[in-house]
Amino acid sequence: MQYTFFRRFFVCQRQNLIGRRDVSVFEVRFMFRAHNSIRKINSWNLKEGLIMKNVPSDISGFTALDPWWRTGVPTCILCSGNGIDDILRKIKQEDVQAFFLVDSVLEKQPLFAPLFIEQSKMLFNASASEPRTDDVDQIVEFLRSRDSLPDVIVGVGGGSTMDLAKAVGICLANPGKARDYQGYGMDLKKGHPVWVLPTLNGTGAEITPIAVLRGPEKKLGINHPYAAPAVAVIDPRLSSGVKPFNRFFTMMDCYFHHYEIVKSKTSSADAVQDARDGLKLATEVLDSGVQEYNVENAIKSAMASILGGSSTIGGRVGAVHAISYGLSNSAPGLPHSIAVTISMLALQELYPDGYEDTVRFLEGSGLSMPKASEYGIGEGEIEKMTSVALGMEKLWQSCFGEGWEGKASRTFVYDIYKRIVNG
Ligand code: NAD
Ligand code: ZN
C-alpha cells in the first residue's frame, strides 16, 4: 500500500516534464526517497541483483523505469526518449529564460540542431580542455553584462560541460571568483538553477553536488550542496555520436567510482549498494566492447552514471582518485578519465581485482595502456604530485579506514608515482 502511494508521487514527478507546475519536484523526490529507504530494508538489500534483472533493453523500457538508486539525490531526474525536445518543451512550459552552455562538438551532429537555433547560448570546447576557473569567470562576467540574468543555465555535454554550467550557476549568485569556491564547506548563496542534458554518460556529474574545475593553483571541485543540478534529463540516445575512445575512458571513470566506493571504509551502506549495481553495469558495458554505439549499452551507461552520482553523494572514492589528482595537477592536458586509468594501472597490489579488470578492459577494447609520459609527466614531477595526493586525506581515509595515516605514507605515495613515471 505504502509503495503504491509513493509511486503515485513519482508519476507526478514524471508529469512535471510536460509542464505541471503544481508539484514541487524536490518535495516529490524527497518523499519518494524517504520511502525508498524503507523499501531498501525490506527488499533491495536482501535481493542483491534484483535491479540488474530489470535493466531495460530499449528506450521505452528506460523511460518507464522507477528509480534504480537508493541514495537520496537532490536532482529531479527525468528519463527521456527525446531529451532535446523534452528539455526545450520544459523551458517553454515553465516560461523560463534559459542560457545554454553547449559542448561545441555537438554542432556537427544533426540530432542537436534544435539547440543550435537557440539564441541565448555559448559553446564550450570540451575537447580542448576540462573547464577552468577562468572559463567560469568569463561566462559569469558576460551574463552579468547583459540586460537581465537568465532564469536557468542549461548545460549540454559531458561531465566537463555540465560542471561548467554548475559552476556558473553558483558563481552568478556569489561575489567571488570561481577559484575562491574550490574546496569544501564554503559559505555560499544558492546559485542560479542549473538543468543538464548529458550527451556522454559516466561521470555522474548530472546529479553530483560537485563542479570540478582546473584552477590556477589546483584542480579541485566546488563541493557544495548548491552545486547539484536542479533537473537532469537523461536520454541515452544522445551519446550515439561519441567516439569509442571517449565512451571507453568515461566508462572507465564510472567503473573506478563504483569500484572505489564498494571498497571504501567510510562510505554509507546505501552508497555501497548503489556502487555495487553501478560496478556490475559498468563492467558489463566495458566487457562487451564500446567500439560501436548500441542502445543497450547506452542505457546501462546512463543508469551506471546516475548510480555513480548517487553513490558519490553518500560515498567516497579512494587511492585511484587521490593519485589521479596529483597527475592532473602536473598535466593540464590530461583528461580525468585517463588520469584515473593510469593510476589504477599502478595500484595492482592495493586493488588487484580492479587492476585485472582494467587490463582486461583495455586489451578487449584494443586500446593501448595510457602512460603518464605521453602527457609530459616525468621524474621531476614526483615530489609535487606526492604532496598533492597526500593532501587528499579523506580519500586515503576512505581507502584504508582507521590508521590510514600510517599506510598512506609519503614513501608509499612517492613509490606509486615512481612506478607511474617509469612505467
Ligand atoms: P568530457 O565532457 O570532457 O567529454 C569528453 C569528450 O567527449 C570531449 O571531446 C567532448 O567534446 C566529447 N563529447 C561529449 N559528448 C559527445 C557527444 N554526444 N558526441 C561526440 N562527442 C562528445 O568527458 P567526461 O568524461 O564526461 O567528463 C570529464 C570531466 O568531468 C572532467 O573534468 C572530470 O574532472 C569531471 N568529473 C566530474 C564529476 C562530478 O561529479 N562533477 C565526476 C567525475 C568526473
Ligand atoms: Zn573520477
Side-chain angles (χ1 to χ4, degrees):
M1 282 299 283
Q2 204 183 9
Y3 173 67
T4 313
F5 171 72
F6 279 96
R7 191 185 155 86
R8 215 166 339 116
F9 276 103
F10 182 60
V11 171
C12 290
Q13 187 203 24
R14 285 223 180 97
Q15 286 171 350
N16 217 295
L17 185 61
I18 52 161
R20 279 183 48 157
R21 303 186 69 179
D22 53 338
V23 179
S24 147
V25 288
F26 290 103
E27 202 178 294
V28 168
R29 170 59 55 201
F30 286 127
M31 290 177 87
F32 189 81
R33 297 315 313 164
H35 173 63
N36 254 356
S37 56
I38 297 165
R39 188 165 54 156
K40 167 187 69 70
I41 296 161
N42 291 342
S43 63
W44 286 14
N45 270 358
L46 304 176
K47 293 184 187 169
E48 215 171 288
L50 178 74
I51 295 175
M52 294 308 119
K53 285 183 199 143
N54 296 339
V55 175
S57 57
D58 58 23
I59 291 291
S60 61
F62 177 71
T63 56
L65 273 179
D66 277 348
W68 57 91
W69 58 95
R70 299 162 181 83
T71 316
V73 302
T75 304
C76 170
I77 299 169
L78 301 160
C79 297
S80 168
N82 195 338
I84 295 165
D85 281 3
D86 281 338
I87 207 158
L88 292 175
R89 191 178 308 125
K90 189 169 169 64
I91 287 165
K92 204 166 169 197
Q93 288 176 339
E94 297 208 2
D95 195 20
V96 287
Q97 294 294 319
F99 180 77
F100 290 83
L101 281 168
V102 187
D103 187 330
S104 57
V105 79
L106 306 173
E107 200 165 10
K108 296 181 209 121
Q109 298 180 35
L111 177 64
F112 294 93
L115 289 177
F116 287 89
I117 299 165
E118 295 292 326
Q119 295 298 314
S120 193
K121 67 171 179 300
M122 196 177 266
L123 303 188
F124 175 65
N125 185 353
S127 310
S129 165
E130 293 174 344
R132 290 166 296 218
T133 51
D134 281 355
D135 298 325
V136 179
D137 295 337
Q138 278 167 22
I139 296 167
V140 168
E141 201 179 317
F142 167 74
L143 289 173
R144 285 191 181 134
S145 73
R146 301 197 322 172
D147 291 342
S148 62
L149 290 177
D151 300 314
V152 58
I153 311 294
V154 182
V156 185
S160 293
T161 314
M162 291 189 280
D163 279 358
L164 179 66
K166 288 154 69 177
V168 167
I170 285 283
C171 291
L172 266 178
N174 289 278
K177 298 273 186 200
R179 63 170 173 238
D180 301 333
Y181 304 131
Q182 283 178 292
Y184 297 82
M186 304 281 168
D187 186 14
L188 291 174
K189 293 202 189 86
K190 192 163 172 36
H192 260 58
V194 173
W195 298 359
V196 292
L197 186 63
T199 65
L200 171 57
N201 308 87
T203 62
E206 57 273 30
I207 61 170
T208 57
I210 310 165
V212 184
L213 299 173
R214 282 185 175 275
E217 286 154 26
K218 54 194 178 243
K219 180 179 172 182
L220 185 63
I222 299 176
N223 292 269
H224 196 282
Y226 289 158
V231 175
V233 177
I234 313 294
D235 176 356
R237 296 176 325 129
L238 300 184
S239 60
S240 61
V242 175
K243 288 183 187 148
F245 179 89
N246 293 120
R247 204 165 26 239
F248 177 82
F249 279 105
T250 297
M251 201 33 55
M252 285 304 301
D253 189 24
C254 186
Y255 169 90
F256 295 133
H257 292 164
H258 293 306
Y259 178 88
E260 294 207 278
I261 290 171
V262 167
K263 299 270 171 183
S264 165
K265 306 283 195 294
T266 59
S267 297
S268 76
D270 275 358
V272 171
Q273 284 292 334
D274 277 353
R276 282 218 170 94
D277 286 336
L279 188 64
K280 187 159 188 282
L281 289 169
T283 303
E284 282 175 14
V285 171
L286 288 160
D287 267 336
S288 75
V290 295
Q291 284 306 320
E292 302 292 331
Y293 169 88
N294 72 64
V295 80
E296 273 187 57
N297 271 352
I299 290 170
K300 284 181 183 173
S301 303
M303 292 176 72
S305 187
I306 296 286
L307 288 165
S310 68
S311 59
T312 302
I313 290 169
R316 195 156 267 140
V317 289
V320 165
H321 277 77
I323 294 293
S324 85
Y325 275 104
L327 294 169
S328 295
N329 264 285
S330 286
L334 173 62
H336 172 75
S337 57
I338 295 179
V340 278
T341 308
I342 292 173
S343 303
M344 179 56 102
L345 290 171
L347 290 169
Q348 183 175 10
E349 275 181 34
L350 186 61
Y351 294 142
D353 46 351
Y355 171 87
E356 262 175 42
D357 281 354
T358 303
V359 171
R360 189 180 72 250
F361 297 147
L362 279 160
E363 286 176 355
S365 68
L367 290 163
S368 56
M369 306 283 160
K371 295 206 177 333
S373 55
E374 291 161 1
Y375 297 89
I377 299 174
E379 290 266 355
E381 297 296 319
I382 296 182
E383 282 293 350
K384 197 171 103 196
M385 293 192 294
T386 302
S387 299
V388 171
L390 284 171
M392 302 284 151
E393 294 182 354
K394 287 195 158 49
L395 304 196
W396 293 112
Q397 192 179 8
S398 162
C399 172
F400 289 120
E402 264 180 50
W404 64 271
E405 296 94 333
K407 291 176 182 158
S409 66
R410 190 160 191 97
T411 314
F412 174 79
V413 174
Y414 188 95
D415 285 349
I416 294 170
Y417 284 119
K418 218 160 178 212
R419 286 202 291 281
I420 289 177
V421 298
N422 295 327

